Each structure stands twice: as C-alpha cells, then as structure tokens.
Amino acid sequence: IQLTQSPSSLSASVGDRVTITCRASQGISSALAWYQQKPGKIPKLLIHHASGLGDGVPSRFSGGGSGTDFSLTISSLQPEDFATYYCQHFNNYPITFGQGTRLEIK
Amino acid sequence: EMQLVEAGGGLVQPGGSLRLSCAASGEIFSTYWMTWLRQAPGKGLEWVANINNDGGESHYVDSVKGRFTISRDNAKNLLYLQLNSLTAEDTAIYYCARGGSTTSWYWVYWGQGTLVTVSS
C-alpha cells in the first residue's frame, strides 16, 4: 500500500489553520497514524486509528478520514509545530509511511 | 513507560554484517510486539521488521528479507537486529520502537536510534 501525502512542503504562519492529506493506494479502513518529527529528534505519535489523539498531544491537532483519504489538521499553528509530518498505515504488511510533509514558517 | 536504548551501530564495509541491540526497561518487555524502523540521512521513515511477544512470528520489509533477522531475548529485555550483506542503501539511523498496546503496529515509544553507515 502506497501512501501519498500532500503537499510535500508547506509554508504557513503562526495562528494559521493547516491541513495535510494522506491518500492510500487501497482502502485501509482507519488503520492510519500520524507522526511529527523535528530535525535531529525522534518521531512523536500524534494520531492513531485515523482520529485518535495520542497521549499528551495538544487538542489543536486532529485527524480524520477512513478508507483511502485521510487528513491531519492543526487548528492554530504554534511555533513548536514547525516540523515534518508523516502518515503511516498499519492495515497489513508491509507497513509503510508517506513521504512526509515539511511544514515551514512563512 | 518503556525506555528503549539502541546500540551496535557503526561503520561497516559493503557486504559486511552488524548486530544491533535494543535494551528495554520500565515495563514488561515480554508482552509487547517490538519493531525496528530506519531513516536514511535526510529521508523519510521506513518500517524494517517486527516480532511478536514470544519471538515466534516476525515480518520484514521486502528490501531486507533474507539479509536481516529480528530476534529477542525476553529474559534479558533485549531486542536484536542482525544485519547481513549490507549495502550503501542500508545506511540509516535504526530505531527500535514499541506500540501503545501489546499488539499495536503504530509506535508510541522510540529509542534515540543508532547510526549504521555502510561505506568502503
């Protein structure tokens, strides 16, 4: 299963609402997770099962979708949110990730 | 909360071998599926292999099948990844990770990673 994220990169400002999409090449029900990774750091789980908020993750992050189309939305960007975001499916093997979306400060 | 610490990375020549280890502490290691992932320099994340709680079931990404072997020692709280027939494409930071539940295939806990560099 291939995961295609859009856009590959994005420039936005603090306070903006941002949405990243992830499209699966075949249906994966809700078996999708989202991660945030900052340079030189390990990935952090944000969302599991498409819309479940990870422990300790701020409520400005939300996930949605099922089947083949998914989204990650940040309702009001904070300075610490500028990072790279990855989607990952866990519907079956092989487990795969999207190519990543780099979110930069405008 | 589980802590994970990888070791064993380094510089190895093409065709060479390396064994990575991941020491787990803080929770009952033997009840969880464990996973190895990797990230090539400047690239995205890639799932490599995972193994069930008793070591009886494992799965691999196609690019490492027949070359890498995942294993575990529950008595020592250790996860391993044996890397054989290494190529430059295997150069990456290798992470061990654990899911939020015993069988989850998304990962809450990550080690800091160990760098494997394949170069002559």
Side-chain angles (χ1 to χ4, degrees), chain A residues 34-70:
Chain A
W34 289 95
Y35 299 84
Q36 175 194 68
Q37 188 178 31
K38 298 179 181 180
K41 302 297 185 182
I42 62 176
K44 175 185 177 182
L45 178 72
L46 298 175
I47 302 288
H48 60 86
H49 293 94
S51 59
L53 197 64
D55 289 346
V57 176
S59 59
R60 63 181 181 274
F61 291 92
S62 64
S66 66
T68 59
D69 294 304
F70 301 87

Side-chain angles (χ1 to χ4, degrees), chain B residues 1-94:
Chain B
E1 181 174 328
M2 180 174 277
Q3 288 78 44
L4 302 168
V5 179
E6 302 94 338
L11 176 63
V12 60
Q13 292 188 338
S17 298
L18 216 53
R19 189 174 84 155
L20 308 182
S21 63
C22 172
S25 62
E27 289 192 38
I28 303 175
F29 176 73
S30 62
T31 63
Y32 290 91
W33 279 73
M34 294 296 296
T35 300
W36 286 99
L37 304 105
R38 66 184 178 182
Q39 187 168 33
K43 303 298 184 182
L45 297 165
E46 181 179 37
W47 167 77
V48 174
N50 62 4
I51 188 167
N52 76 334
N53 64 306
D54 67 8
E57 181 180 347
S58 59
H59 301 269
Y60 300 87
V61 67
D62 282 350
S63 60
V64 309
K65 281 180 182 176
R67 301 189 301 122
F68 291 9
T69 302
I70 190 172
S71 62
R72 65 192 297 161
D73 184 336
N74 286 342
K76 297 181 179 179
N77 286 0
L78 287 170
L79 176 71
Y80 300 104
L81 186 68
Q82 178 69 39
L83 291 66
N84 296 333
S85 303
L86 286 162
T87 72
E89 287 66 43
D90 297 315
T91 294
I93 298 172
Y94 285 73

